[in-house]
């Protein structure tokens, strides 16, 4: 269609800083993050809400960014993997994923870490079954999940030690 | 109407290397002025860890630290030829090619060093990025300084070419015998399952395997292949089908709600041991590991279902519908 659709300006907090994007209606949060803001940790998997590779936090709740129109985040706060840590300042979850070899191709990793962060923010000392349930919406083709679960258990231990210190 | 338990066993021999034109892979290794070595490969890293193990192999063969090796993979336009990254062949094929290329590069490195250090090349050795005169460790020179001398003084390239090829084996017309592969890895898996005879559902309780994989270049990565492969094998057995009513293409899955793979809550108990019997022709004794880890769980689970309820469902995936149909057919016998 040649008709030019109206664009929207959306402003929101992204990883603790104000950002604005100018987007066509129904642009997803995932597309805005990856293509307009060039943050590529959040992955584009199925685009149907089925794989979890696009998982981010919206006002500290887990959302699948492929299902969220970015206009809905206007005035709200979004956290992506880039916002919780990076080279030289790794989050304990990132450290533990690294140490436990919890990524092979890495396509699921950002979503897994965001789901794990959501869990540990609410439940700093989860059981293995609680970790498994928290990851149930995130698919991994490579690892068989075991190293991911072990990394999250280890991160929980590291973080609880950090609090005591 | 009950839940029945069963145990099944299956073994596999997994061949590394195919009888297709010798199944070759090539590699190039060259030294930068910084003393860093680049490895050029067309083989690619899909997450199985090829860059890491090739880096380890090159570092070992050159005598430099792992941080001094850059592995550049996956561009078939600019890298030397490779048959492809599949069939658990890459570490074996590319690893051998990289050792050959690194050995040639190291020979030049020692020739350049010999001129700088006024020694015979055969009296020199490289370790941890330092070249020294054997038996006289105080006479050393860093690979960095040798690289500088090669680039800016002697005018030499510290580089090497490598290829691995096992000539195609002809089939004996009398016996049909031939020698198609290079080496074989081995696995045996024991599966414990529960079968619900009312719903036809199969639950894998436990997968326990013994793997014989030759020399492990990186045991943590081998473990990653094993765990991922076990879960994938379970999924092939019970869940995954691209065209469930093949050859009719209706009802093919269009999303992850229909093409079902395991999630973190679907895991069986997993156990494994790894045995290492180095192969005679793999780089440092390597055999291929990855693919066979998803192979053995399939017949083991199918056998366990038979042990539990007395039916063999041999068409994958073993869905509840197929189990119930098989149970009904058995009753009607
Ligand atoms: S890309 Fe969003 S759930 Fe798959
Ligand atoms: S590491 Fe490949 S999908 Fe999880």
């Amino acid at each position: 269609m040649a008709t030019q659709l109206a664009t929207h300006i959306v402003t929101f907090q992204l990883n603790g800083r104000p950002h604005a994007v100018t987007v066509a209606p129904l642009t997803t949060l995932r597309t805005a993050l990856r293509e307009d803001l060039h943050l590529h940790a959040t992955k584009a998997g199925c685009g149907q809400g089925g794989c979890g590779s696009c998982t981010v936090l919206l006002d500290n709740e887990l959302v699948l960014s492929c299902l969220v129109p970015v206009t809905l985040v206007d005035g709200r706060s979004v956290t992506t993997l880039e916002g919780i840590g990076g080279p030289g300042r790794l989050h304990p979850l990132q450290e533990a994923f690294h140490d436990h070899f919890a990524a092979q191709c890495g396509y699921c990793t950002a979503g897994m870490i965001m789901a794990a962060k959501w869990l540990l923010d609410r439940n700093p000392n989860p059981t293995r079954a609680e970790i498994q349930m928290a990851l149930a919406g995130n698919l991994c083709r490579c690892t068989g999940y075991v190293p991911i679960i072990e990394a999250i258990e280890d991160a929980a231990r590291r973080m609880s030690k950090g609090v005591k210190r | 109407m009950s839940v029945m338990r069963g145990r099944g066993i299956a073994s596999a021999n997994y061949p590394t290397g195919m009888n297709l034109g010798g199944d070759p892979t090539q590699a190039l290794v060259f030294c930068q002025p910084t003393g860093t070595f680049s490895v050029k490969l067309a083989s690619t890293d899909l997450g199985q860890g090829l860059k890491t193990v090739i880096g380890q192999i090159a570092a070992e063969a050159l005598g430099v630290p792992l941080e001094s090796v850059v592995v550049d993979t996956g561009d078939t336009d600019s890298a030397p030829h490779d048959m492809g990254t599949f069939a658990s062949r890459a570490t074996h094929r590319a690893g051998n090619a990289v050792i050959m290329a690194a050995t040639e590069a190291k020979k030049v490195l020692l020739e350049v060093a010999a001129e700088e250090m006024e020694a015979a090349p055969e009296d020199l050795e490289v370790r941890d990025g330092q070249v020294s005169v054997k038996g006289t460790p105080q006479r050393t020179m860093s690979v960095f300084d040798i690289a500088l001398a090669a680039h800016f003084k002697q005018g030499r390239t510290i580089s090497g070419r490598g290829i691995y090829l096992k000539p195609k084996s002809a089939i004996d017309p009398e016996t049909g015998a031939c020698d198609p592969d290079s080496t074989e890895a081995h696995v045996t898996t024991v599966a414990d399952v529960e079968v619900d005879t009312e719903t036809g559902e199969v639950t894998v309780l436990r997968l326990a395997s013994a793997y014989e994989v030759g020399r492990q270049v990186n045991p943590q990565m081998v473990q990653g292949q094993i765990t991922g492969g076990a879960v994938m094998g379970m999924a092939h057995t019970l869940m995954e089908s691209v065209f469930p009513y093949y050859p009719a293409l209706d009802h093919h899955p269009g999303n992850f709600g229909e093409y079902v793979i395991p999630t973190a809550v679907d895991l069986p108990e997993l156990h494994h041991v790894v045995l290492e019997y180095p192969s005679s022709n793999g780089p440092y004794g390597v055999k291929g590991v990855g693919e066979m880890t998803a192979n053995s769980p399939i017949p083991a689970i199918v056998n366990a279902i038979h042990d539990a309820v007395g039916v063999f469902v041999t068409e994958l995936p073993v869905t509840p519908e197929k189990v119930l149909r098989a149970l009904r057919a058995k009753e009607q016998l």
Side-chain angles (χ1 to χ4, degrees):
Chain A
M1 239 198 320
T3 322
Q4 198 60 38
L5 292 170
T7 53
H8 296 260
I9 298 173
V10 183
T11 54
F12 58 107
Q13 290 289 115
L14 174 58
N15 298 330
R17 293 205 187 150
H19 278 75
V21 285
T22 308
V23 293
L26 295 183
T27 301
T28 64
L29 174 58
R30 185 191 73 181
T31 301
L33 290 170
R34 289 180 56 83
E35 287 168 25
D36 295 292
L37 296 159
H38 305 292
L39 291 179
H40 296 136
T42 304
K43 293 291 178 283
C46 62
Q48 297 173 322
C51 72
S53 68
C54 65
T55 304
V56 301
L57 296 173
L58 176 58
D59 292 337
N60 295 318
E61 288 296 339
L62 278 187
V63 294
L64 299 169
S65 63
C66 70
L67 297 183
V68 177
V70 67
T71 46
L72 284 190
V73 313
D74 197 56
R76 299 170 74 182
S77 152
V78 174
T79 309
T80 68
L81 185 75
E82 289 96 339
I84 72 163
R89 46 171 193 101
L90 291 183
H91 188 276
L93 275 164
Q94 292 171 311
E95 270 173 18
F97 267 60
H98 176 265
D99 293 349
H100 288 263
F101 190 42
Q104 286 186 31
C105 79
Y107 219 79
C108 68
T109 311
M112 290 287 182
I113 292 179
M114 297 316 286
K117 179 172 185 332
W118 177 89
L119 173 70
L120 297 186
D121 283 349
R122 280 155 190 76
N123 179 358
N125 190 18
T127 63
R128 182 165 269 235
E130 286 168 337
I131 294 172
Q132 288 174 287
M133 273 314 290
L135 300 180
N138 293 70
L139 297 179
C140 177
R141 177 83 280 192
C142 306
T143 63
Y145 301 100
V146 176
I148 294 175
I149 295 165
E150 288 170 353
I152 296 168
E153 288 174 329
D154 191 16
R157 278 193 296 274
R158 293 177 197 207
M159 288 163 77
S160 65
K161 271 198 205 122
V163 171
K164 269 181 216 135
R165 223 179 278 145
Chain B
M1 300 301 141
S2 55
V3 173
M4 309 290 284
R5 285 199 173 197
R7 170 168 289 181
I9 303 178
S11 296
N13 296 332
Y14 195 88
T16 306
M18 306 167 301
N19 203 22
L20 296 171
D23 194 17
T25 292
Q26 297 188 26
L28 293 176
V29 168
F30 60 94
C31 185
Q32 304 282 11
T34 52
T36 296
F37 284 84
S38 287
V39 179
K40 275 296 252 187
L41 281 180
S43 327
T44 199
D45 195 330
L46 326 152
Q48 84 281 39
L50 185 72
K51 279 190 173 184
T52 306
V53 296
I54 289 297
Q56 289 179 263
I57 288 170
E60 179 79 17
L62 287 161
V64 300
L66 188 57
E67 307 76 66
S68 299
V69 178
V70 174
V71 183
D72 183 11
T73 62
D75 185 347
T76 51
D77 280 344
S78 63
H81 172 256
D82 173 38
M83 286 290 275
T85 309
F86 55 87
S88 307
R89 63 182 289 289
T91 306
H92 184 279
R93 268 13 199 199
N96 273 324
V98 164
I99 288 179
M100 184 176 174
T103 305
E104 190 172 277
K106 185 173 165 182
K107 184 167 172 282
V108 184
L109 177 79
L110 292 180
E111 285 167 11
V112 174
E115 196 159 320
E116 295 301 309
M117 296 169 77
E118 295 174 6
E122 50 287 2
D123 293 339
L124 299 177
E125 60 185 358
V126 199
R127 208 176 290 161
D128 286 334
Q130 300 287 328
V131 176
S132 56
V133 180
K134 284 180 204 157
T136 320
Q138 57 277 22
R139 280 185 68 196
T140 66
M141 201 173 160
S142 71
V143 169
F144 180 25
D145 287 333
I146 297 163
L148 286 176
H151 278 84
F152 300 111
K153 198 169 139 198
Q154 297 188 23
R156 298 198 64 180
T157 64
I158 301 176
S159 60
R161 305 152 296 169
I163 183 166
Y164 187 81
L165 169 97
K166 176 174 174 280
K168 186 170 168 22
S169 163
I171 296 171
D172 184 320
E174 296 291 311
T175 63
C178 87
D179 177 19
D181 58 13
S182 297
T183 181
E184 283 174 8
H186 310 278
V187 55
T188 293
T189 293
V190 181
D192 287 345
V193 305
E194 259 175 20
V195 183
D196 187 321
T197 60
E198 188 170 8
T199 65
E201 277 174 304
V202 176
T203 308
V204 179
L205 304 172
R206 194 176 302 113
L207 291 174
S209 301
Y211 299 90
E212 192 288 289
V213 300
R215 174 77 60 83
Q216 303 180 84
V217 177
N218 188 316
Q220 200 179 17
M221 287 187 160
V222 170
Q223 162 127 10
Q225 296 290 298
I226 284 173
T227 307
V231 174
M232 198 185 281
M234 178 188 82
H236 291 335
T237 321
L238 300 180
M239 299 176 174
E240 294 180 34
S241 176
V242 180
F243 290 119
Y245 300 103
Y246 191 82
L249 302 188
D250 314 337
H251 310 296
H252 73 271
N255 59 53
F256 284 120
E258 293 162 3
Y259 187 89
V260 181
I261 73 168
T263 71
V265 293
D266 300 318
L267 302 182
E269 202 181 306
L270 296 171
H271 302 276
H272 70 265
V273 291
V274 176
L275 308 171
E276 295 183 276
Y277 291 91
S279 74
S280 60
N281 54 29
Y284 305 115
V286 159
K287 300 176 178 180
V289 182
E291 194 168 328
M292 84 176 175
T293 60
N295 295 161
S296 56
I298 301 170
I301 293 168
V302 168
N303 284 339
I305 295 168
H306 178 261
D307 187 44
V309 294
V311 297
F312 270 122
V313 183
T314 52
E315 191 184 301
L316 301 179
V318 184
T319 56
E321 179 184 335
K322 287 180 196 160
V323 173
L324 288 181
R325 284 185 193 282
L327 287 173
R328 191 169 309 159
K330 188 182 148 211
E331 272 166 27
Q332 285 163 0
L333 278 183

